[in-house]
Amino acid sequence: MAKTSAEKSANAAAAPEYPLTTMAIVAPLVGWLIPGAGHLIQKRYVRGILLMVSVVAVFLIGLGMNGRIYGPNGGDILEMLGFVGDLGSGALYFLARIMGWGDAPAAHATADYGKTFVIVAGLLNFIAAADAHHIALGKKP
């Protein structure tokens, strides 16, 4: 049976509203640029430090395994997705590109695993930035 407009407005009033604050915008941006910092500026120190250590460690392990750092390109779809995953690491990605890390040709089978580690570090950082956003909105304690 169709709901009346009064029932729809009652359901809308019962749904919690999460106001978009400055912290809800700044926290994910800072958290993306510096892994874990989105939580640190919200005084979630343990979570922020754990995320920072995790993302940086996975990124450095990937580089240590001669993992490739993807650059922006319009070629193969897998390379574009790899670029998006790498870009998720924020400042680590830009530092690696500036320093020329991850440009070596894959000479070992471990380089493919290293590339995957670097991408996973970026994806983990995207999730951490989204988590910082939800905390700032009040959706998550």
Side-chain angles (χ1 to χ4, degrees), residues 46-65:
V46 174
R47 188 179 293 180
I49 290 172
L50 285 173
L51 285 168
M52 184 178 290
V53 168
S54 299
V55 171
V56 171
V58 171
F59 189 85
L60 293 178
I61 289 170
L63 284 180
M65 296 170 75

